[in-house]
Amino acid sequence: PQPPFTPLPGELKRLEIYNVSSVVQARRVCGSLLLTSYRLALCGVTVPLGCVLSVLCVEQALTLTTRTGYYLSCSFAEDDGALVAQKLNVAVPPFAFKRFQAMPPSTRRRNLFVYDPLAEFHRMGVDYASHWTIDTSFNLGWRGCASYPATLCVPRAADRDVLKDTSTFRTHQRFPVLCWRDPHTCRTLSRSAEPGMIGRTRLGDKQYLDLIQQASGCDGLWVVDCRSRAAAVGNVANFNKTTGSAEWGYGQCEIAFCGIPNIHKVRENWTKLLHNVPEPWMAVVYELLNWAARITDVLADPKHKLSVLIHCTDGWDRTSQICSLTQLLMDPHARTLLGFITLIEKDWLSMGHRFADRYGNAIDSIHPTLQTSAHSPIFPQFLWCVYQLLSLEPGAFEFNCELLSFLAEHHTSGFYGTFLGNSERERVERGLREQTPSAWDDVLDPDSIHRYRNADFVENPNRLKFQASLGAMKPWHPSMTEPQAITQ
C-alpha cells in the first residue's frame, strides 16, 4: 500500500491525481500523484522539485529525469500528463523560506556549524608571525570583487595599490588569494581567475605573484591553468608561442595546462552519462583526480620548493574542483566531517561558485528544468570525484557516501538556504542566514550525524596518494534522502 503523505512544515498541496500507474522496485503499482510546493510524490516515491532535471509528456505517459540520474515514469487514466508537465516546468519559490517560517523558533537555526574564515586560516598557520595576513578591508562591502568573500588571505607585503592592480588585471577582479597553506612547510595553494589583456596593471599582477612566492618561502610558483593551451591562447596575455615561464613572461613561474573541459562539455558529458554512455564523464572525473594528485606531488616535493596557483577562465568552476580535491589529498583535516563541510563553505560557497547559474538555484525562484547555456553539473562532478576517493580509501574519510548523496540532492532541492544564490554577497544581502534553515544543522544534528559518519574511519596524518587507473573509476548512484523506490 502507498504510504500516507505527511506534509512538512510550510508545505502546501498544489495538485493531486488518482489512478496513476508507475513502476516501483520492478513492480507496476497503482497509486496517486501529489504535487506540493516542495516536491512530487508518485506512488510512494518523492522527489524535490529542485531535483527535477527534465520532463517529457507523450500522450498519457510522463517521464522525468532527476539531477541525481534517476528516471521516474508513470501513466494516467485521464489526460493529466500535460497538466503535470506544465506545472513541473515553471519556477517555484525556494521552499526553504516557507519551511523556516513554519518551524518552531527554537529549531530554525541552531548554528551547529558556521563557517569561520579567521579560524580556518589560523589553523593553517596564518598569524602575526607569518608572511600572510587576513584582510577584511580590501573587499569590505565586496567592493574589490563582488564574487569573492569579504574576508581574504593575501601576502602581508601586498599594499592596496598592488591589490588593486592585480584585481583589475584579472577576470571579474578575481585576483590570486590563499585557499590553503601547509603550516609545517609554509607552501601554499592559491586560486584566481585568468589574467587579462596586456595593459597597465600587468606589472602590478606580476609583482603580486612575486609576493605570493616570497610569502610562501618558495623558489618558484607553479601556475596550473585548468584549460587547454588552445583555450588559453585566446587571451593576449597568455599568448607567446613558447612554453614555460615565457608563457606569461613572469619570472619564476612555470605553467601547466590541464585541458579540463569547460561547463558546456561537462553538460554534454552528463547528458551522455544519462543515456548510458559513461566513458566521457568518467574520463574527466579521472583527469580531475589525476591533476589534483600531480599538484600534491609538487607541493610535497622536498627537492623543488614550489607553491601552486590554480585558475581557469573565471575561477569558480574547474578551479573550485581541483583546489578542493587537492586539499582532500593533502590535508587530513579536510577528510574529517567538519573539515569537509568547511571545505565546501570555503572553496565553493564563499569563493563564488555559481550555484544559481549552474543549477537554477536563484534566491527568488528555483527553475531546474529551464536549461540555459550556464547550466552545468560542476558540483555533482566534484562529488563523483570524492566518491572515487572514498571507494579507493574507505578508511581515510570520517564522512561517508550518505553525505555525498545528501549533497547531491540538496544542493538543488531548495530545502535549505545554504546553496541558494551565486555568492557570499548575495546570501548576506538577502539575509539567508536569518530566513532559511542550514543544511549543516541537519547533518550535524546529534540524532542524525551517525548517518553521515564512516564507522571505519582511521585518522591518517599523511597525504593521500591517488595512483588509480581510469579503469578503477566506479559509477556512482547517489541514494535519495527521500524514500527511494526508483527504477530506471
Side-chain angles (χ1 to χ4, degrees):
Q2 184 172 328
F5 177 79
T6 303
L8 298 164
E11 187 176 19
L12 302 175
K13 286 186 180 181
R14 295 171 58 202
L15 177 68
E16 188 166 14
I17 300 172
Y18 298 98
N19 298 321
V20 177
S21 176
S22 182
V23 177
V24 176
Q25 293 181 335
R27 293 185 302 107
R28 182 161 293 280
V29 298
C30 291
S32 64
L33 180 148
L34 179 64
L35 192 63
T36 76
S37 54
Y38 167 60
R39 52 187 166 167
L40 169 74
L42 174 62
C43 298
V45 179
T46 58
V47 179
L49 301 181
C51 296
V52 177
L53 179 63
S54 63
V55 181
L56 177 64
C57 179
V58 178
E59 296 180 345
Q60 292 175 301
L62 183 77
T63 302
L64 64 87
T65 308
T66 74
R67 288 189 174 272
T68 49
Y70 290 102
Y71 292 85
L72 279 172
S73 63
C74 63
S75 57
F76 301 90
E78 306 291 338
D79 295 331
D80 294 317
L83 175 63
V84 175
Q86 179 186 24
K87 289 187 175 295
L88 288 173
N89 279 314
V90 298
V92 295
F95 181 61
F97 291 97
K98 288 292 185 181
R99 186 166 77 94
F100 185 85
Q101 294 170 5
M103 293 170 68
S106 61
T107 65
R108 288 176 176 173
R109 271 277 179 170
R110 289 166 288 170
N111 294 323
L112 297 183
F113 176 88
V114 177
Y115 172 56
D116 183 352
L118 299 180
E120 175 64 0
F121 287 125
H122 287 156
R123 184 187 67 82
M124 301 175 191
V126 176
D127 54 28
Y128 293 108
S130 74
H131 296 287
W132 294 86
T133 186
I134 301 171
D135 189 298
T136 58
S137 61
F138 180 76
N139 207 32
L140 181 65
W142 302 279
R143 291 191 296 264
C145 175
S147 60
Y148 266 3
T151 300
L152 301 170
C153 193
V154 299
R156 189 178 298 277
D159 60 29
R160 288 295 169 270
D161 290 337
V162 171
L163 290 176
K164 186 175 181 180
D165 281 351
T166 184
S167 66
T168 302
F169 188 64
R170 298 275 167 167
T171 298
H172 304 301
Q173 293 78 49
R174 293 176 65 89
F175 64 98
V177 294
L178 182 75
C179 68
W180 182 78
R181 176 180 183 270
D182 188 320
H184 305 293
T185 68
C186 300
R187 298 196 194 186
T188 61
L189 182 67
S190 300
R191 58 180 292 174
S192 71
E194 67 176 346
M197 307 293 281
I198 291 176
R200 178 184 60 81
T201 60
R202 186 170 189 265
L203 178 60
D205 189 68
K206 178 183 181 300
Q207 292 173 343
Y208 184 73
L209 262 61
D210 289 341
L211 293 177
I212 289 179
Q213 176 193 332
Q214 294 166 17
S216 304
C218 290
D219 302 325
L221 196 62
W222 196 42
V223 181
V224 178
D225 191 328
C226 299
R227 305 167 296 180
S228 65
R229 178 185 292 275
V233 295
N235 185 310
V236 176
N238 290 336
F239 184 65
N240 208 305
K241 296 183 180 179
T242 55
T243 60
S245 61
E247 194 74 34
W248 280 4
Y250 291 1
Q252 308 302 319
C253 282
E254 300 178 19
I255 311 295
F257 295 97
C258 301
I260 302 298
N262 61 21
I263 61 170
H264 312 294
K265 195 67 176 179
V266 171
R267 183 174 61 247
E268 178 184 317
N269 290 345
W270 177 249
T271 302
K272 291 179 179 178
L273 178 69
L274 294 179
H275 290 86
N276 297 316
V277 183
E279 291 81 7
W281 177 266
M282 299 305 292
V284 177
V285 167
Y286 174 75
E287 281 303 308
L288 287 167
L289 287 165
N290 197 41
W291 273 101
R294 289 183 62 180
I295 292 168
T296 62
D297 288 341
V298 169
L299 289 170
D301 188 344
K303 295 181 179 179
H304 304 93
K305 197 171 184 183
L306 297 175
S307 283
V308 178
L309 167 64
I310 301 175
H311 75 76
C312 49
T313 302
D314 302 307
W316 50 45
D317 291 312
R318 291 166 285 190
T319 300
S320 290
Q321 290 176 322
I322 295 185
C323 281
S324 300
L325 292 171
T326 299
Q327 290 170 76
L328 281 172
L329 294 176
M330 284 294 296
D331 190 349
H333 179 69
R335 300 193 289 269
T336 66
L337 179 55
L338 284 176
F340 187 61
I341 292 173
T342 300
L343 184 71
I344 292 171
E345 283 279 353
K346 174 170 64 71
D347 277 284
W348 290 88
L349 291 163
S350 75
M351 288 301 295
H353 176 64
R354 316 290 284 181
F355 279 92
D357 292 348
R358 298 291 175 262
Y359 320 109
N361 289 9
I363 293 175
D364 293 318
S365 65
I366 292 179
H367 200 165
T369 60
L370 178 63
Q371 298 300 305
T372 71
S373 60
H375 278 212
S376 188
I378 298 297
F379 186 67
Q381 188 176 58
F382 162 69
L383 296 178
W384 272 69
C385 293
V386 180
Y387 173 76
Q388 307 305 319
L389 294 178
L390 265 64
S391 299
L392 292 166
E393 298 280 354
F397 296 84
E398 188 186 14
F399 55 92
N400 58 23
C401 293
E402 276 300 307
L403 179 62
L404 302 185
S405 295
F406 175 90
L407 293 170
E409 177 173 330
H410 287 300
H411 81 280
T412 65
S413 70
F415 198 65
Y416 305 99
T418 308
F419 301 101
L420 298 178
N422 282 326
S423 65
E424 175 187 280
R425 177 180 184 173
E426 289 184 14
R427 297 180 192 106
V428 172
E429 289 184 342
R430 294 297 300 274
L432 292 194
R433 185 174 171 184
E434 293 77 33
Q435 300 181 60
T436 61
S438 166
W440 314 131
D441 279 351
D442 282 355
V443 170
L444 299 174
D445 186 283
D447 293 331
S448 60
I449 192 172
H450 66 278
R451 294 178 53 191
Y452 309 109
R453 274 195 169 136
N454 176 13
D456 299 322
F457 171 62
V458 178
E459 190 170 0
N460 180 358
N462 303 315
R463 70 183 178 106
L464 295 184
K465 294 185 178 182
F466 174 76
Q467 298 173 323
S469 65
L470 175 57
M473 301 295 98
K474 295 182 178 181
W476 179 41
H477 304 286
S479 63
M480 301 188 70
T481 57
E482 299 285 356
Q484 182 185 356
I486 297 177
T487 59
Q488 184 168 326

